[in-house]
Amino acid sequence: MEQAEEIISARFSEGLTVKAIADELFVSRSRLYDAFRNVRGMGVAERMGAACSLLGSG
């Protein structure tokens, strides 16, 4: 989880995909999605969308 969030924070402007993050962490997309859902209450794509919205609003 922490590593995935670090990747999202550091490289959000690169057009990251859930698959790219999962590949970098050597896990499946479903495993990454489940981890985010269980810990953060939202999936990876939702988390990335929320981060982009926050960054866009200043």
Side-chain angles (χ1 to χ4, degrees):
M1 282 294 306
E2 290 175 18
Q3 289 175 324
E5 288 189 333
E6 287 174 11
I7 292 168
I8 293 167
S9 295
R11 299 183 14 221
F12 67 90
S13 63
E14 295 179 17
L16 285 173
T17 63
V18 175
K19 182 178 181 341
I21 297 167
D23 287 349
E24 190 166 330
L25 297 173
F26 303 103
V27 298
S28 68
R29 287 183 304 159
S30 60
R31 173 109 175 160
L32 182 61
Y33 181 85
D34 289 344
F36 265 85
R37 175 72 62 196
N38 290 335
V39 175
R40 299 287 185 239
M42 63 177 71
V44 180
E46 294 167 305
R47 178 74 170 156
M48 289 170 51
C52 287
S53 293
L54 287 173
L55 290 170
S57 67

